[in-house]
Amino acid sequence: MDYFNTLEPLLRAFWFIALPVSLIFAVQTVMTFLGLDSADGIDADFDGNLDHADAPFQLFSFRNLINFLLGLSWTGISFYQLIGNKPLLILLSIAVGIGFILLFFAIIKQIQKLAEDNTFKTEHALNKSGSVYLRIPGQRSGRGKVQVSVKGSFKELDAITDQDTIESGANIRIIKIENQNLVLVEKI
């Protein structure tokens, strides 16, 4: 502690910010990689639906505070001997702290682009080819079932046809979506 008492007040303040903030940042990082944290920057102090991928970033969060203080303190420590003008050093430290927050936002935005929506929508099956699983009665007189590959997975859909009866195993193409779970097919 004697070392810290001999430092100039501004440098001492930078060190007193840097040490605990660096420890908290290290703990946050480990928790993130282990999947133990749930703080992704989209928690809010009000009721609302922020569970979708387009939710806005929350500017004032604990993680952003840590990022800002990390950039501020280590910039101040690193450039303390190089920049004699203390107000300029403080402004540079604040700018780097804000830069850390912006960098965090940019990284999170890029990570969100990696998210894949595998939600099945019947519209994705339009114009896809597949095969008849259960016989489809002709002239819309009943329903059968077809199997079609959409986004790498097989889906089983109820199907009707305007043509004659299509037997099991026949190749089909989906030509129209009748409703949520019913498709119009033709034999190919």
Side-chain angles (χ1 to χ4, degrees), residues 12-25:
R12 187 178 334 139
F14 283 139
W15 274 109
F16 281 135
I17 293 171
L19 294 176
V21 165
S22 297
L23 179 65
I24 292 169
F25 180 78

Side-chain angles (χ1 to χ4, degrees), residues 132 134-146 157-167 170-176 178 182-188:
V132 176
L134 292 177
R135 183 178 70 84
I136 305 170
Q139 281 70 30
R140 295 186 183 223
S141 61
R143 292 182 179 191
K145 290 199 180 278
V146 295
L157 302 169
D158 290 334
I160 56 174
T161 186
D162 288 332
Q163 300 174 332
D164 293 332
T165 299
I166 305 176
E167 296 298 325
N171 291 327
I172 54 92
R173 183 171 61 90
I174 297 173
I175 57 174
K176 186 177 178 186
E178 290 290 316
L182 182 64
V183 295
L184 179 66
V185 299
E186 67 181 5
K187 187 174 182 178
I188 52 174

Side-chain angles (χ1 to χ4, degrees), residues 64-101:
N64 285 342
L65 175 67
I66 296 301
N67 291 336
F68 173 76
L69 292 175
L70 194 68
L72 176 121
S73 61
W74 284 108
T75 301
I77 292 168
S78 300
F79 291 101
Y80 192 82
Q81 299 298 326
L82 297 174
I83 299 175
N85 186 348
K86 301 312 175 201
L88 180 64
L89 176 64
I90 292 170
L91 285 176
L92 176 67
S93 298
I94 290 171
V96 171
I98 292 170
F100 271 43
I101 293 172

Side-chain angles (χ1 to χ4, degrees), residues 125 128-131 146-150 153-157 174:
K128 297 282 186 191
S129 298
S131 62
V146 295
Q147 285 184 331
V148 63
S149 176
V150 177
S153 66
F154 279 99
K155 298 295 177 186
E156 188 176 288
L157 302 169
I174 297 173

Side-chain angles (χ1 to χ4, degrees), residues 42 49-57 109 112:
I42 60 173
N49 183 9
L50 295 178
D51 292 334
H52 52 87
D54 296 332
F57 290 113
K109 194 72 169 167
Q112 285 180 338

